[in-house]
Amino acid sequence: MSDNSSILGIDYGGRTKGTVALAWLKEDLICAYQCSIKEDADVYINQFIVDNKIKLVAIDAPLSLPIVYTNKKLGNDYHYRKADRETKAMSPLFIGGFTANSMSFRAQNENIKFIETFPSHFLRIIEIKKPKGDYNATINLILKKLNYKFKLNNIVETPHQFDAICCLLSGIRYTEKITLCFGDELEGQIFI
Protein backbone atom coordinates (compact mmCIF):
# COMPACT_ATOMS: atom_id res chain seq x y z
CA MET A 1 0.00 0.00 0.00
CA SER A 2 1.84 3.09 -1.17
CA ASP A 3 -1.06 5.53 -1.53
CA ASN A 4 -0.91 7.65 1.62
CA SER A 5 -4.40 9.04 0.90
CA SER A 6 -5.83 5.62 1.74
CA ILE A 7 -4.60 5.89 5.36
CA LEU A 8 -6.74 7.32 8.15
CA GLY A 9 -5.46 8.24 11.62
CA ILE A 10 -8.08 8.17 14.38
CA ASP A 11 -7.93 9.40 17.95
CA TYR A 12 -10.86 7.34 19.16
CA GLY A 13 -12.66 8.72 22.19
CA GLY A 14 -16.24 8.85 23.35
CA ARG A 15 -18.56 7.96 20.50
CA THR A 16 -20.88 10.96 21.03
CA LYS A 17 -18.70 13.15 23.28
CA GLY A 18 -17.03 15.20 20.55
CA THR A 19 -13.62 13.72 21.39
CA VAL A 20 -13.09 11.66 18.22
CA ALA A 21 -10.72 13.18 15.68
CA LEU A 22 -9.51 12.05 12.26
CA ALA A 23 -6.41 12.88 10.25
CA TRP A 24 -6.01 12.17 6.57
CA LEU A 25 -3.47 13.03 3.91
CA LYS A 26 -4.90 14.65 0.78
CA GLU A 27 -2.07 15.00 -1.70
CA ASP A 28 0.63 16.52 0.55
CA LEU A 29 -1.78 18.23 2.94
CA ILE A 30 -2.56 16.82 6.39
CA CYS A 31 -6.24 17.44 7.13
CA ALA A 32 -7.58 17.15 10.68
CA TYR A 33 -11.28 16.74 11.49
CA GLN A 34 -13.16 16.64 14.77
CA CYS A 35 -16.54 15.02 15.41
CA SER A 36 -19.00 17.29 17.14
CA ILE A 37 -20.78 16.62 20.43
CA LYS A 38 -23.77 14.28 20.05
CA GLU A 39 -22.66 13.30 16.53
CA ASP A 40 -22.27 9.52 16.20
CA ALA A 41 -18.53 9.21 15.55
CA ASP A 42 -18.83 5.69 14.12
CA VAL A 43 -21.32 6.85 11.48
CA TYR A 44 -19.07 9.81 10.64
CA ILE A 45 -15.94 7.64 10.39
CA ASN A 46 -17.67 4.95 8.35
CA GLN A 47 -18.89 7.52 5.84
CA PHE A 48 -15.40 9.04 5.67
CA ILE A 49 -13.90 5.58 5.03
CA VAL A 50 -16.32 4.89 2.19
CA ASP A 51 -16.05 8.35 0.61
CA ASN A 52 -12.24 8.32 0.65
CA LYS A 53 -11.58 4.63 -0.06
CA ILE A 54 -9.59 4.13 3.14
CA LYS A 55 -7.60 0.88 3.28
CA LEU A 56 -5.67 1.32 6.54
CA VAL A 57 -6.85 2.76 9.85
CA ALA A 58 -4.22 3.63 12.48
CA ILE A 59 -6.19 4.06 15.70
CA ASP A 60 -5.32 5.23 19.20
CA ALA A 61 -7.47 2.73 21.07
CA PRO A 62 -6.97 -0.86 22.20
CA LEU A 63 -8.01 -3.41 19.59
CA SER A 64 -7.64 -6.45 21.85
CA LEU A 65 -7.71 -7.67 25.45
CA PRO A 66 -4.97 -9.46 27.40
CA ILE A 67 -4.55 -12.96 25.99
CA VAL A 68 -5.62 -14.60 29.27
CA TYR A 69 -9.24 -13.81 28.30
CA THR A 70 -9.02 -15.97 25.18
CA ASN A 71 -6.42 -18.54 26.21
CA LYS A 72 -5.45 -19.01 29.87
CA LYS A 73 -2.55 -21.26 28.88
CA LEU A 74 -0.80 -18.38 27.09
CA GLY A 75 -0.96 -15.73 29.79
CA ASN A 76 -1.84 -14.83 33.35
CA ASP A 77 -2.05 -11.01 33.28
CA TYR A 78 -5.67 -9.92 33.56
CA HIS A 79 -4.90 -6.21 33.31
CA TYR A 80 -2.22 -5.54 30.68
CA ARG A 81 -1.10 -6.88 27.36
CA LYS A 82 2.61 -7.16 26.65
CA ALA A 83 2.27 -4.14 24.27
CA ASP A 84 0.75 -2.05 27.08
CA ARG A 85 3.63 -2.82 29.41
CA GLU A 86 6.25 -2.11 26.74
CA THR A 87 4.71 1.27 25.77
CA LYS A 88 3.41 2.26 29.23
CA ALA A 89 -0.15 2.38 27.88
CA MET A 90 -3.26 2.17 30.03
CA SER A 91 -4.84 -1.19 30.57
CA PRO A 92 -7.52 -1.95 27.94
CA LEU A 93 -9.73 -2.86 30.90
CA PHE A 94 -9.26 0.49 32.63
CA ILE A 95 -10.61 2.19 29.51
CA GLY A 96 -13.08 -0.62 28.90
CA GLY A 97 -15.73 1.41 27.06
CA PHE A 98 -13.20 2.72 24.53
CA THR A 99 -11.76 -0.76 24.12
CA ALA A 100 -15.18 -2.31 23.51
CA ASN A 101 -16.12 0.43 21.05
CA SER A 102 -12.88 0.19 19.07
CA MET A 103 -13.01 -3.61 18.94
CA SER A 104 -16.63 -3.44 17.80
CA PHE A 105 -15.80 -0.76 15.23
CA ARG A 106 -13.01 -2.91 13.76
CA ALA A 107 -15.30 -5.96 13.67
CA GLN A 108 -17.85 -3.95 11.66
CA ASN A 109 -15.13 -3.02 9.14
CA GLU A 110 -13.51 -6.38 8.44
CA ASN A 111 -12.52 -5.36 4.89
CA ILE A 112 -10.17 -2.66 6.23
CA LYS A 113 -6.77 -3.17 7.85
CA PHE A 114 -6.60 -1.75 11.39
CA ILE A 115 -3.45 -1.17 13.38
CA GLU A 116 -3.28 0.06 16.95
CA THR A 117 -0.95 2.93 17.69
CA PHE A 118 -0.19 5.12 20.69
CA PRO A 119 0.64 8.82 20.14
CA SER A 120 2.26 9.31 23.58
CA HIS A 121 4.79 6.58 22.90
CA PHE A 122 5.26 7.83 19.33
CA LEU A 123 6.35 11.18 20.82
CA ARG A 124 8.64 9.45 23.34
CA ILE A 125 10.29 7.45 20.55
CA ILE A 126 10.98 10.52 18.40
CA GLU A 127 11.93 12.52 21.53
CA ILE A 128 9.42 15.33 21.19
CA LYS A 129 7.32 16.59 24.10
CA LYS A 130 3.55 16.69 23.81
CA PRO A 131 2.49 20.31 23.33
CA LYS A 132 0.33 22.13 25.80
CA GLY A 133 -0.84 24.68 23.25
CA ASP A 134 0.66 25.38 19.84
CA TYR A 135 -0.07 22.06 18.15
CA ASN A 136 0.89 23.29 14.68
CA ALA A 137 4.46 24.17 15.71
CA THR A 138 4.94 20.73 17.26
CA ILE A 139 3.51 18.96 14.21
CA ASN A 140 5.86 20.93 11.97
CA LEU A 141 8.75 19.90 14.24
CA ILE A 142 7.67 16.24 14.00
CA LEU A 143 7.42 16.43 10.20
CA LYS A 144 10.89 17.96 9.99
CA LYS A 145 12.36 15.35 12.33
CA LEU A 146 10.80 12.50 10.31
CA ASN A 147 11.83 14.15 7.05
CA TYR A 148 8.25 14.36 5.71
CA LYS A 149 7.42 17.22 3.36
CA PHE A 150 3.70 17.30 4.25
CA LYS A 151 1.99 20.56 5.19
CA LEU A 152 -0.96 21.23 7.47
CA ASN A 153 -4.19 22.04 5.65
CA ASN A 154 -5.86 23.62 8.67
CA ILE A 155 -5.10 24.87 12.17
CA VAL A 156 -4.95 22.01 14.65
CA GLU A 157 -7.14 23.16 17.51
CA THR A 158 -7.46 20.24 19.92
CA PRO A 159 -5.26 17.58 21.50
CA HIS A 160 -7.52 15.00 19.79
CA GLN A 161 -6.67 16.36 16.35
CA PHE A 162 -2.99 16.40 17.31
CA ASP A 163 -3.16 12.74 18.39
CA ALA A 164 -5.03 11.80 15.20
CA ILE A 165 -2.17 13.30 13.17
CA CYS A 166 0.33 11.25 15.20
CA CYS A 167 -1.79 8.18 14.40
CA LEU A 168 -1.75 9.08 10.69
CA LEU A 169 2.04 9.41 10.76
CA SER A 170 2.34 6.01 12.46
CA GLY A 171 0.10 4.60 9.72
CA ILE A 172 2.34 6.08 7.03
CA ARG A 173 5.40 4.66 8.79
CA TYR A 174 3.63 1.26 8.89
CA THR A 175 3.15 1.27 5.12
CA GLU A 176 6.79 2.27 4.70
CA LYS A 177 7.74 -0.71 6.88
CA ILE A 178 9.65 1.47 9.36
CA THR A 179 7.38 1.22 12.40
CA LEU A 180 8.51 -0.21 15.66
CA CYS A 181 6.28 -3.03 16.83
CA PHE A 182 5.45 -3.69 20.49
CA GLY A 183 3.63 -6.64 21.97
CA ASP A 184 2.75 -10.05 20.67
CA GLU A 185 0.95 -10.91 17.44
CA LEU A 186 -1.37 -13.40 19.18
CA GLU A 187 -2.38 -10.90 21.86
CA GLY A 188 -2.24 -7.57 20.09
CA GLN A 189 0.44 -5.22 18.85
CA ILE A 190 1.04 -1.48 18.97
CA PHE A 191 2.82 0.08 15.99
CA ILE A 192 4.81 3.29 16.31
Side-chain angles (χ1 to χ4, degrees):
M1 175 188 314
S2 60
D3 178 15
N4 288 332
S5 70
S6 65
I7 303 167
L8 181 63
I10 302 176
D11 183 40
Y12 199 73
R15 192 168 164 181
T16 58
K17 305 284 186 206
T19 57
V20 173
L22 313 178
W24 179 61
L25 195 62
K26 184 175 184 177
E27 296 168 8
D28 285 339
L29 296 175
I30 295 174
C31 306
Y33 308 92
Q34 183 97 22
C35 292
S36 59
I37 294 173
K38 296 187 180 175
E39 179 178 23
D40 187 323
D42 285 0
V43 171
Y44 180 85
I45 296 167
N46 278 323
Q47 191 61 54
F48 192 94
I49 286 171
V50 169
D51 291 348
N52 297 289
K53 300 177 178 65
I54 300 299
K55 295 182 178 134
L56 172 68
V57 170
I59 190 167
D60 176 20
L63 292 171
S64 62
L65 294 172
I67 201 162
V68 69
Y69 290 103
T70 56
N71 189 333
K72 290 182 181 175
K73 293 178 183 174
L74 295 179
N76 60 7
D77 191 334
Y78 284 84
H79 297 278
Y80 294 95
R81 302 167 300 169
K82 182 179 178 188
D84 304 319
R85 293 209 181 272
E86 291 175 348
T87 61
K88 299 179 179 141
M90 284 189 205
S91 164
L93 300 167
F94 182 75
I95 52 173
F98 295 129
T99 302
N101 286 345
S102 63
M103 290 174 67
S104 172
F105 184 70
R106 180 176 66 172
Q108 295 167 25
N109 289 281
E110 291 178 336
N111 57 332
I112 299 191
K113 172 77 176 167
F114 276 73
I115 63 166
E116 182 179 336
T117 189
F118 184 31
S120 293
H121 200 61
F122 170 79
L123 293 172
R124 281 193 291 271
I125 294 285
I126 63 172
E127 298 177 335
I128 291 180
K129 291 187 185 228
K130 190 161 191 161
K132 295 197 179 357
D134 189 356
Y135 301 110
N136 287 33
T138 304
I139 291 166
N140 287 325
L141 182 63
I142 292 168
L143 294 173
K144 184 176 181 182
K145 189 159 194 172
L146 297 178
N147 202 27
Y148 286 133
K149 305 291 186 219
F150 311 133
K151 303 277 186 230
L152 288 168
N153 184 50
N154 53 325
I155 294 172
V156 177
E157 299 173 333
T158 70
H160 305 294
Q161 291 172 356
F162 178 86
D163 283 354
I165 291 170
C166 291
C167 292
L168 170 67
L169 295 173
S170 289
I172 291 168
R173 289 168 51 84
Y174 178 84
T175 64
E176 293 173 343
K177 300 184 182 351
I178 58 172
T179 50
L180 298 174
C181 178
F182 299 89
D184 179 272
E185 191 173 0
L186 288 174
E187 184 178 45
Q189 295 172 307
I190 293 175
F191 296 92
I192 305 294

